[in-house]
Amino acid sequence: MKKIALVTGGTSGIGLATVEALHRKGYIVVFTSSKSQVAGEQIASQDREALRYLQCDVTNKDQISSVKDTLVEHYGRLDVLINNAGYTEVVPHSNFEGATDELWMKIFTTNVMGTWWMSTLFHDLLKAEAGSIVNITSIAGLRPIGSSIPYSVSKAALNQMTRLLAASMDNVRVNAVAPGLIDTPWTESWDQLRENVRRVAPLHRSGTPEDVAQVVVSVAEAAYLTGEVIAVDGGLTLKV
Ligand SMILES: NC(=O)c1ccc[n+]([C@@H]2O[C@H](COP(=O)([O-])OP(=O)(O)OC[C@H]3O[C@@H](n4cnc5c(N)ncnc54)[C@H](OP(=O)(O)O)[C@@H]3O)[C@@H](O)[C@H]2O)c1
């Protein structure tokens, strides 16, 4: 029987590359996004047997429940959950007024609560298959850097949530992959940062979504790995 993977935010960037990598490995991949339904359906149309797009905003518990209903009805199992959907806005760290309460709430509801709701709701299915969770965090959760303070704090919280869930979930492996600067629509306009990474990082380039997806799939399948946060950053955190 084919294994089932669920990827949040699978229509673009790191999420899409992860959907494609899991698909190549033979998984049936269910993937979600909050708005990009047309892109989602187009991706799924490449292989309707093994790719299924579902609209689901990770901040909406009813929509998450309905994804679970669909999974149970069509496949009856879940082996791998990739919590990839995230949100940020660029706010210089010294601009305290710019980090509004609304921004804190939006970032935390998406990045932290979204991951919590997904992980706890799908826990029973994952446990039945001795499955695994991979949270996409960020090196912004490891160093005092990142697009905004609320974003970096949310990713630090997710790194700690990864360890806490790994310790609390019997027979479900929980790990995080923490990317550095990756070339996706999210970072399209961050040329200055890209230049800094080229200069400073030992591998002298920003990453591709495929660089991250390769590690995500390895971590998802690593049978004796749990509670780890693995940076995929071309060595940037060795220098910052
Ligand atoms: N790019 C980087 O340099 C970098 C570095 C470190 C960490 N990361 C992390 O990697 C993850 C993916 O980033 P990316 O650069 O690949 O971004 P991206 O290309 O902008 O893709 C984001 C994906 O998430 C979906 N999404 C956004 N909000 C959502 C929500 N509330 N519910 C469900 N899906 C949602 C988007 O679709 P819709 O808009 O249609 O919902 C899209 O499919 C994020 O968690 C980010 O923090 C990225």
Side-chain angles (χ1 to χ4, degrees), residues 8-16 32-37 53 56-59 83-87 110-111 136-140 151 155 178-187 190:
T8 66
T11 58
S12 172
I14 293 166
L16 174 56
T32 71
S33 72
S34 66
K35 297 189 293 279
S36 44
Q37 281 125 310
Y53 170 75
C56 170
D57 188 326
V58 295
T59 68
N83 287 310
N84 165 75
Y87 184 74
T110 309
N111 298 2
I136 308 304
T137 65
S138 171
I139 61 167
Y151 176 76
K155 293 296 185 173
L181 180 66
I182 309 301
D183 298 331
T184 71
W186 178 303
T187 59
W190 299 6

Side-chain angles (χ1 to χ4, degrees), residues 107-170:
I107 287 176
F108 261 67
T109 311
T110 309
N111 298 2
V112 180
M113 296 313 300
T115 299
W116 173 256
W117 288 324
M118 291 293 302
S119 302
T120 50
L121 201 76
F122 285 97
H123 172 231
D124 57 345
L125 290 180
L126 289 164
K127 187 170 172 153
E129 309 304 330
S132 105
I133 298 174
V134 182
N135 296 325
I136 308 304
T137 65
S138 171
I139 61 167
L142 299 171
R143 295 286 187 278
I145 55 174
S147 45
S148 68
I149 287 182
Y151 176 76
S152 299
V153 175
S154 78
K155 293 296 185 173
L158 275 186
N159 287 337
Q160 184 68 339
M161 188 194 295
T162 299
R163 291 183 278 262
L164 289 163
L165 288 181
S168 309
M169 290 183 166
D170 282 336

Side-chain angles (χ1 to χ4, degrees), residues 5-10 12-25 27 29 79-85 131-138 155 173-180 182 208-223 225 228-233:
L6 173 59
V7 181
T8 66
S12 172
I14 293 166
L16 174 56
T18 303
V19 168
E20 292 170 341
L22 288 163
H23 180 230
R24 281 195 300 275
K25 280 226 127 191
Y27 285 78
V29 189
D79 298 276
V80 167
L81 168 63
I82 314 292
N83 287 310
N84 165 75
S132 105
I133 298 174
V134 182
N135 296 325
I136 308 304
T137 65
S138 171
K155 293 296 185 173
R173 292 175 299 100
V174 187
N175 294 287
V177 168
I182 309 301
T208 65
E210 291 73 25
D211 289 327
V212 182
Q214 182 186 37
V215 179
V216 172
V217 174
S218 307
V219 166
E221 294 190 329
L225 185 77
E228 293 299 325
V229 177
I230 295 168
V232 181
D233 66 349

